[in-house]
Amino acid sequence: MLRAVLIYVGLLLALRVFGKREVGQFTLYDLVFILLVANALQPAVTGPDNSILGGFVLIVALVGTNFLVGRLDRLPQFHRLLSPHPAVVVRNGQYIQQSMRREGVEEDEIEMAMREHGINDLKDVQMAVLEPDGTISIVPKGSTIHSTKRKLRFRHR
C-alpha cells in the first residue's frame, strides 16, 4: 500500500507540469502520455519492492518526454503534425456528407450543437465547424465570418 501511495504522490507532483489544463483540453500527446503512464506504472504499484525506483524513473522519463513534446508543439511545423485542422461539416444550411464521414460526425451531433446555440433549423446555419478539440462551432446565417490564420471568427450583424 505504501508503494501505491508513493507512486501516486510522485505522479501528482510530476503532473503539476501540466499546469491548469483540464481533461477536455488535453492534446493528443497528453492522451498518449496518460495511457503510457497507466500501463508503465502498474508494476511499480503491484510488483516487487525494488520496482518503486523504476516507477519514479518512468515518471520522470515520461513527464520529461511529454514536456519536451509540448515545447516542440509550439513550433508550427511540429504542431501541424500532431494537431487536427478544423473541418467544415455544414455550409449554407447543407450537411457536407463527405466531411462528416471523414471526421466521424453524425447529424444528431450537429443538431445538438445547433440547439446549444439556439438554432432549431439547419437552414439557419451558415456554417458548422468541427474544431480540433472535438466541439462543433455554429455560425448562424447573417453573421460575418472573419478568417484568421489560426481560427475562424464570426460577428453578428
Side-chain angles (χ1 to χ4, degrees):
M1 185 162 68
L2 180 60
R3 284 183 300 175
V5 170
L6 288 174
I7 291 295
Y8 177 79
V9 169
L11 186 58
L12 277 180
L13 292 173
L15 289 177
R16 185 69 179 112
V17 172
F18 274 139
K20 295 183 180 180
R21 282 192 282 193
E22 297 176 16
V23 174
Q25 296 173 316
F26 277 2
T27 61
L28 176 63
Y29 54 87
D30 289 333
L31 177 62
V32 170
F33 167 74
I34 295 296
L35 293 172
L36 283 174
V37 165
N39 225 3
L41 291 182
Q42 186 268 336
V45 174
T46 61
D49 286 339
N50 61 357
S51 64
I52 194 163
L53 180 61
F56 286 124
V57 169
L58 283 171
I59 288 172
V60 170
L62 290 172
V63 168
T65 301
N66 196 61
F67 182 78
L68 177 63
V69 171
R71 293 294 180 226
L72 287 173
D73 191 44
R74 295 178 179 178
L75 300 173
Q77 303 86 345
F78 193 84
H79 182 75
R80 280 191 294 267
L81 290 174
L82 296 180
S83 298
H85 298 286
V88 177
V89 291
V90 172
R91 181 171 279 129
N92 297 324
Q94 301 289 317
Y95 291 115
I96 303 174
Q97 296 294 336
Q98 181 182 5
S99 181
M100 290 171 60
R101 274 192 302 278
R102 183 179 61 246
E103 301 296 336
V105 176
E106 301 292 328
E107 290 180 9
D108 60 335
E109 294 173 281
I110 296 170
E111 291 165 1
M112 182 173 66
M114 288 168 41
R115 288 189 300 273
E116 289 173 354
H117 287 83
I119 298 173
N120 297 320
D121 196 343
L122 184 63
K123 68 178 169 49
D124 295 328
V125 176
Q126 181 175 343
M127 184 168 48
V129 180
L130 177 64
E131 302 292 353
D133 66 359
T135 60
I136 299 175
S137 297
I138 303 292
V139 179
K141 283 220 169 146
S143 298
T144 304
I145 299 172
H146 298 279
S147 183
T148 64
K149 188 173 184 177
R150 295 184 182 253
K151 297 177 183 170
L152 289 173
R153 303 228 184 250
F154 68 93
R155 180 178 61 205
H156 292 285
R157 288 186 192 171

